[in-house]
């Protein structure tokens, strides 16, 4: 079950990155750069998944969730791309950051909306989404972004990892699937048993001065890996259904294939797309406010 906790680490990291990069940008520049970085690649990768979903039933709710990453209508609906439910929260966080960049005083109102939605989550999908406890994990990341560097805190990394893995062994790991995650079922439990250890892992990692290596290169391809990791695994599972192999080999081969495939797609596809979009950045010269 601890494998699900990668999402919580992802949310905390996002909070750190946005808190450190957004200040100094205009709200237009910030919104465009986040859109440019996330949405075009996501929509392109989603096309084959949407085609498959269309053959089995793809209504307006599915279209709204897939195209706008808004899952909450009269019922909770997940995007066609399986992993994209997390992007629904990412885009919600980016929207909140954009509003704060317009006027910092609006932060109080956003916190109020979150609090009210959390109190009335039983009213339906919209307050379930807007008041999802998982949003607290972005707040963890924002808080970590303003903490001073403290080398001894590197020990938070292994301690957080042990705590996260240990939740499965002692039976307190939250369960559920995509719909439960979007609706925030067992959300506070997840924030406690996954979110806090995730914050410890991220804070410990922040104390390490990483140098360029194969690991940092693979880290650059992490978004592509996030988007397409299910594709090679699904294809391999089809092969393994006909030609079974030991489970341990399934994990090793599936992981290695996904990482290698994502890295090549990052080099051959994502980087050229990012360079193209950067050349057409309307805020290239006006992204920073004057001192």
């Amino acid at each position: 079950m601890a494998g699900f906790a990668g999402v919580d680490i992802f949310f905390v990291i996002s909070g750190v990155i946005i808190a450190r990069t957004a200040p100094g940008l205009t709200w237009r520049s910030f919104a465009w750069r986040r859109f440019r970085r996330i949405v075009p690649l996501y929509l392109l990768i989603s096309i084959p998944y949407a085609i498959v979903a269309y053959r089995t039933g793809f209504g307006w709710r599915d279209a709204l969730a897939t195209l706008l990453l808004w899952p909450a209508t009269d019922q909770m609906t997940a995007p066609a791309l399986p992993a994209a439910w997390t992007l629904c929260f990412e885009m919600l966080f980016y929207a909140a950051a954009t509003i704060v960049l317009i006027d910092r005083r609006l932060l109080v109102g956003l916190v109020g909306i979150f609090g009210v939605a959390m109190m009335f989550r039983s009213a339906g999908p919209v307050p379930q989404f807007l008041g999802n406890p998982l949003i607290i994990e972005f707040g963890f990341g924002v808080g970590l972004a303003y903490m001073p560097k403290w080398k001894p805190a590197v020990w938070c990394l292994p301690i957080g990892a042990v705590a996260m893995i240990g939740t499965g062994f002692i039976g307190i790991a939250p369960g559920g699937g995509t719909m439960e995650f979007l609706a925030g079922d067992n959300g506070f439990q997840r924030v406690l048993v996954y979110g806090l250890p995730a914050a410890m892992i991220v804070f410990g990692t922040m104390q390490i001065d990483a140098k360029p290596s194969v690991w940092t290169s693979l880290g650059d391809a992490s978004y592509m890996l996030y988007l397409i990791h299910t594709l090679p695994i699904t294809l391999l599972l089809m092969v393994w259904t006909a030609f079974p192999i030991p489970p341990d080999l399934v994990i090793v081969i599936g992981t290695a294939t996904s990482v290698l495939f994502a890295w090549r797609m990052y080099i051959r596809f994502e980087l050229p797309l990012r360079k193209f979009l950067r050349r057409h950045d309307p805020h290239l010269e006006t992204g920073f406010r004057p001192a």
Side-chain angles (χ1 to χ4, degrees), residues 240 243-251 253:
W240 291 330
F243 305 98
I245 64 174
D248 291 343
L249 282 179
V250 170
I251 296 173
I253 296 174

Side-chain angles (χ1 to χ4, degrees), residues 80-94:
L81 182 65
W85 71 268
T86 63
L87 283 183
C88 296
F89 291 104
E90 281 288 321
M91 298 307 289
L92 189 64
F93 179 53
Y94 297 158

Side-chain angles (χ1 to χ4, degrees), residues 223-279:
Y223 183 51
M224 178 63 79
L225 176 61
Y226 158 81
L227 289 175
I228 65 171
H229 70 277
T230 58
L231 180 58
I233 291 176
T234 300
L235 295 175
L236 287 171
L237 286 176
M238 295 172 61
V239 175
W240 291 330
T241 300
F243 305 98
I245 64 174
D248 291 343
L249 282 179
V250 170
I251 296 173
V252 172
I253 296 174
T255 301
T257 302
S258 296
V259 171
L260 181 60
F261 180 57
W263 177 66
R264 293 308 301 165
M265 287 290 287
Y266 168 74
I267 298 296
R268 306 295 295 182
F269 183 69
E270 181 179 352
L271 276 182
L273 177 62
R274 289 171 59 179
K275 290 178 181 178
F276 172 80
L277 292 172
R278 192 177 298 118
R279 286 199 301 268

Side-chain angles (χ1 to χ4, degrees), residues 8-9 11-17 19 93 133-147 187-200 202-203 206:
D8 305 86
I9 297 174
F11 285 168
V12 175
I13 291 175
S14 182
V16 173
I17 293 174
F93 179 53
L134 280 174
I135 295 172
I136 296 173
E137 296 178 349
F138 291 101
F140 288 165
V142 172
L144 292 179
Y146 292 98
M147 293 186 67
F188 288 107
Q189 179 187 1
R190 180 166 186 155
V191 170
L192 180 63
V193 302
Y194 284 165
L196 288 176
M200 294 180 65
V202 172
F203 187 55
M206 291 168 64

Side-chain angles (χ1 to χ4, degrees), residues 10-246:
F10 174 64
F11 285 168
V12 175
I13 291 175
S14 182
V16 173
I17 293 174
I18 297 307
R20 289 191 169 183
T21 60
L25 292 174
T26 65
W27 70 267
R28 293 182 182 85
S29 181
F30 171 80
W32 166 247
R33 293 183 185 194
R34 288 293 88 197
F35 177 89
R36 181 187 71 191
R37 178 70 178 89
I38 300 298
V39 176
L41 187 61
Y42 157 71
L43 290 177
L44 288 171
I45 300 296
S46 293
I47 291 174
Y49 292 91
I51 292 174
V52 172
Y54 179 77
R55 294 180 180 274
T56 59
F58 193 77
W60 66 271
R61 299 179 187 85
D62 305 277
L64 192 66
T66 301
L67 295 176
L68 300 183
L69 291 167
W70 180 264
T73 54
D74 58 326
Q75 64 185 54
M76 200 69 77
T77 308
L81 182 65
W85 71 268
T86 63
L87 283 183
C88 296
F89 291 104
E90 281 288 321
M91 298 307 289
L92 189 64
F93 179 53
Y94 297 158
T98 300
I99 291 172
V100 172
L101 286 174
I102 294 174
D103 191 332
R104 291 189 177 185
R105 292 171 295 183
L106 297 175
L107 175 61
V108 176
L110 291 175
V111 174
I113 292 173
F114 174 60
V116 171
M118 185 179 292
M119 288 189 294
F120 293 96
R121 292 183 63 249
S122 60
V126 173
Q128 284 177 345
F129 179 55
L130 294 178
N132 195 308
L134 280 174
I135 295 172
I136 296 173
E137 296 178 349
F138 291 101
F140 288 165
V142 172
L144 292 179
Y146 292 98
M147 293 186 67
K149 199 165 186 176
W150 185 46
K151 285 290 186 179
V154 71
W155 284 102
C156 289
L157 198 165
I159 293 173
V162 170
M164 186 175 286
I165 295 172
T167 60
F169 290 100
I170 61 179
I172 61 172
T178 299
M179 291 305 169
E180 288 76 19
F181 300 153
L182 283 170
D185 295 349
N186 302 316
F188 288 107
Q189 179 187 1
R190 180 166 186 155
V191 170
L192 180 63
V193 302
Y194 284 165
L196 288 176
M200 294 180 65
I201 291 171
V202 172
F203 187 55
T205 305
M206 291 168 64
Q207 314 312 313
I208 301 173
D209 297 319
K211 297 180 179 180
S213 66
V214 64
W215 301 111
T216 57
S217 297
L218 291 176
D220 292 337
S222 60
Y223 183 51
M224 178 63 79
L225 176 61
Y226 158 81
L227 289 175
I228 65 171
H229 70 277
T230 58
L231 180 58
I233 291 176
T234 300
L235 295 175
L236 287 171
L237 286 176
M238 295 172 61
V239 175
W240 291 330
T241 300
F243 305 98
I245 64 174

